[in-house]
């Protein structure tokens, strides 16, 4: 829906100079009113003076050690849970008809959670955090991600660039903020100086529209990112994780991208075959709906890791790896932390040390909290409320400046 538009005119400083102290007083009242959520974080931000080595020194050395056998135990556990859930689902037809309406959603939710855990392990393989041996990492990751219709190598390459340039306005590969200029018709010209972060909130959607936007993001966000690179860097050509010549890849990665596509083609073929043998409805109920649940969890978790008023973004002039690595938020998913292998509540540690296995991340996070102090970002807002808040308070950043904050 159309957003509220700031009335056109000169900057606040020019207006104060031209119209006198009375107008200045009025503007002062505005600045203390409905300000953007990021203002208090922007006002308090100071560039940290510690280094990556300083941070690493606080983390116990054993946290960086990968244990292949231990890593496989998590795979076995997740696969076992997925198989048990699948077996139990084959018995749902024996239940009274009324009970089936509860049993199937329970299966879809539970299987989506368990398979999200498998997704996280495959993601860990892409970081070479599963094992010391690259061929084990790539073999396990390729199988697990192909099973979940993720192009393993393609996503591994783009995700590596994301980690190397997190929060960089022109080099990050996902959740790149929109700029004010992209919404100039809605927002109007900027009214305040670039170093003033107390603009009034100007962008409001009808609640029902924002709810539908969230539903679309959770259901279609991941497929559209793979197919069209939505939320990624803007290129002047179709950019897809399925195109070996896409600008997000290097020429030497061409064959690996094709291999990723082959993995997906094989999995799609198996699903088609299963549909012919067991029926299309069985494939939809046992695989497709849980698959979309996995996608929803993936988008929700990653969106909330990187989209929050506390998270700054940087241009080339200001960015460095450590600044980018700490520009992400840890969140608590309760009991789901266990099934998600703590990808949500230890994400800061993961961004700083991406080859660290997940089973050491909690201990490392405890050490990092002490080392980072106020620079450690954690949000304890209930997840669904946090999603609503971030969607409504993280709309865009300014075109100018080197340290950019979300505005709305």
């Amino acid at each position: 829906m159309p957003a509220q538009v700031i009335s056109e005119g000169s900057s606040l400083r020019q207006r104060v100079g031209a119209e006198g102290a009375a107008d200045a007083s009025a503007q002062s009242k505005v600045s203390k009113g409905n300000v953007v959520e990021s203002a208090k974080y922007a006002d308090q931000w100071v560039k940290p003076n510690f280094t990556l080595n300083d941070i690493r020194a606080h983390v116990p050395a054993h946290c960086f050690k990968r244990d292949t056998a231990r890593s496989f135990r998590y795979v076995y556990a997740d696969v076992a849970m997925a198989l048990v859930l699948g077996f139990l689902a084959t018995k749902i037809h024996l239940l009274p008809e009324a009970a089936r309406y509860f049993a199937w959603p329970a299966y879809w939710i539970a299987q989506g959670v368990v398979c999200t855990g498998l997704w996280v392990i495959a993601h860990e393989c892409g970081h070479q955090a599963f094992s010391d041996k690259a061929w084990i990492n790539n073999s396990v990751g390729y199988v697990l991600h192909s099973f979940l219709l993720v192009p393993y190598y393609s996503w591994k390459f783009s995700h590596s660039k994301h980690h190397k340039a997190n929060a960089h306005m022109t080099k990050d590969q996902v959740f790149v903020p929109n700029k004010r200029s992209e919404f100039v018709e809605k927002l109007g010209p900027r009214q305040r100086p670039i170093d003033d972060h107390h603009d009034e909130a100007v962008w409001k959607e009808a609640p029902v529209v924002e709810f539908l936007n969230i539903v679309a993001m959770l259901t279609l966000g991941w497929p559209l990112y793979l197919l069209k690179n939505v939320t990624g860097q803007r290129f002047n050509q179709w950019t897809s994780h399925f195109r070996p010549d896409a600008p997000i890849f290097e020429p030497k990665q061409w064959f690996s991208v094709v291999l990723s596509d082959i993995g997906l083609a094989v999995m799609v073929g198996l699903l088609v075959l299963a549909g012919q043998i067991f029926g299309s409805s069985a494939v939809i109920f046992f695989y497709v709906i849980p698959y979309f649940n996995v996608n929803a969890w993936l988008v929700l978790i990653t969106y909330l890791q990187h989209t929050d008023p506390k998270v700054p973004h940087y241009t080339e002039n200001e960015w460095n790896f450590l600044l980018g690595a700490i520009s992400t938020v840890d969140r608590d998913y309760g009991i789901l932390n266990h099934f998600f292998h703590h990808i949500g509540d230890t994400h800061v540690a993961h961004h700083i040390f991406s080859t660290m296995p997940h089973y050491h991340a909690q201990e490392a996070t405890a050490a990092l909290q002490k080392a980072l102090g106020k620079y450690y970002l954690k949000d304890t807002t209930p997840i669904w409320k946090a999603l609503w808040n971030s969607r409504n308070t993280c709309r865009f950043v300014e075109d100018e400046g080197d340290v950019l904050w979300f505005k709305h």
Side-chain angles (χ1 to χ4, degrees):
M1 308 308 308
Q4 292 179 318
V5 180
I6 301 175
S7 60
E8 296 184 0
S10 59
S11 70
L12 170 61
R13 291 174 181 171
Q14 292 173 324
R15 207 177 307 169
V16 169
E19 298 176 16
D23 281 352
S25 175
Q27 291 295 338
S28 177
K29 293 178 182 179
V30 169
S31 70
K32 295 179 181 178
N34 188 21
V35 299
V36 290
E37 292 296 318
S38 64
K40 53 183 173 291
Y41 307 110
D43 287 343
Q44 297 169 6
W45 187 85
V46 178
K47 191 172 184 177
N49 58 9
F50 47 76
T51 67
L52 185 60
N53 286 335
D54 295 333
I55 298 301
R56 188 183 182 96
H58 283 77
V59 180
H62 69 265
C63 290
F64 299 97
K65 294 181 179 179
R66 295 163 289 196
D67 184 335
T68 303
R70 184 175 180 180
S71 296
F72 267 113
R73 287 199 292 271
Y74 288 97
V75 176
Y76 300 150
D78 284 355
V79 170
M81 285 189 289
L83 291 175
V84 168
L85 288 171
F87 173 77
L88 292 176
T90 65
K91 307 301 180 182
I92 291 178
H93 72 282
L94 300 176
L95 297 174
E97 183 176 357
R100 298 174 203 169
Y101 290 101
F102 298 95
W104 275 116
Y107 164 74
W108 295 332
I109 293 170
Q111 192 68 286
V113 167
V114 170
C115 288
T116 299
L118 283 171
W119 198 105
V120 171
I121 291 176
H123 147 267
E124 190 161 80
C125 291
H127 284 290
Q128 306 299 294
F130 186 87
S131 170
D132 288 333
K133 295 179 171 58
W135 71 270
I136 293 179
N137 287 307
N138 291 332
S139 297
V140 174
Y142 184 79
V143 171
L144 293 181
H145 261 170
S146 295
F147 171 72
L148 295 170
L149 297 180
V150 179
Y152 171 70
Y153 286 104
S154 305
W155 185 80
K156 170 185 172 180
F157 296 146
S158 68
H159 191 63
S160 175
K161 289 185 176 180
H162 160 62
H163 268 259
K164 292 175 181 176
N166 185 51
H168 192 299
M169 284 298 297
T170 57
K171 293 182 179 178
D172 198 354
Q173 292 299 310
V174 65
F175 294 121
V176 179
N178 293 309
K179 295 181 179 180
R180 180 188 287 271
S181 59
E182 297 177 62
F183 302 103
V184 65
E185 293 185 3
K186 280 188 173 184
L187 302 177
R190 179 167 52 81
Q191 295 278 37
R192 290 181 176 273
I194 190 62
D195 59 350
D196 191 327
H197 299 281
H198 292 77
D199 297 355
E200 279 202 278
V202 294
W203 186 336
K204 292 183 179 180
E205 300 276 23
V208 65
V209 172
E210 193 50 64
F211 174 77
L212 293 175
N213 287 338
I214 290 175
V215 171
M217 179 181 77
L218 295 181
T219 55
L220 301 176
W222 175 244
L224 288 177
Y225 174 65
L226 294 178
L227 285 168
K228 299 180 60 178
N229 204 43
V230 296
T231 76
Q233 291 293 338
R234 287 68 160 169
F235 298 99
N236 294 323
Q237 58 178 289
W238 174 44
T239 302
S240 169
H241 282 74
F242 304 108
R243 278 189 59 187
D245 61 343
I248 55 178
F249 305 126
E250 300 174 13
K252 65 181 181 181
Q253 297 170 337
W254 190 94
F255 178 76
S256 295
V257 176
V258 172
L259 189 61
S260 300
D261 293 345
I262 292 173
L264 265 64
V266 170
M267 185 60 198
V268 170
L270 291 174
L271 290 172
V272 171
L273 179 62
Q276 293 175 339
I277 297 173
F278 303 106
S280 58
S281 61
V283 173
I284 292 172
F285 274 50
F286 280 87
Y287 179 89
V288 175
I289 296 177
Y291 161 77
F292 275 101
N293 282 341
V294 172
N295 292 351
W297 279 118
L298 169 63
V299 171
L300 172 68
I301 292 169
T302 54
Y303 176 81
L304 289 179
Q305 287 165 344
H306 299 286
T307 312
D308 187 276
K310 294 185 287 293
V311 176
H313 287 74
Y314 307 93
T315 63
E316 179 68 23
N317 293 335
E318 191 68 42
W319 184 91
N320 62 51
F321 174 81
L322 183 57
L323 280 179
I326 63 176
S327 297
T328 185
V329 182
D330 282 352
R331 299 181 189 273
D332 187 2
Y333 290 80
I335 192 173
L336 296 182
N337 289 330
H338 170 76
F339 295 99
F340 295 160
H341 304 301
H342 296 278
I343 191 64
D345 61 324
T346 64
H347 198 65
V348 175
H350 173 65
H351 256 281
I352 300 174
F353 307 114
S354 60
T355 60
M356 177 186 293
H358 71 270
Y359 40 80
H360 293 316
Q362 285 178 283
E363 182 180 358
T365 295
L368 286 173
Q369 283 183 270
K370 298 177 181 178
L372 293 174
K374 67 178 182 180
Y375 293 97
Y376 172 71
L377 300 182
K378 181 175 183 178
D379 190 90
T380 57
T381 305
I383 295 301
W384 297 108
K385 183 178 180 181
L387 174 61
W388 183 263
N389 290 345
S390 288
R391 284 288 304 183
N392 284 279
T393 61
C394 302
R395 302 288 193 170
F396 65 94
V397 299
E398 298 290 358
D399 292 74
E400 308 92 356
D402 290 326
V403 182
L404 308 176
W405 298 86
F406 282 114
K407 294 184 178 181
H408 55 100

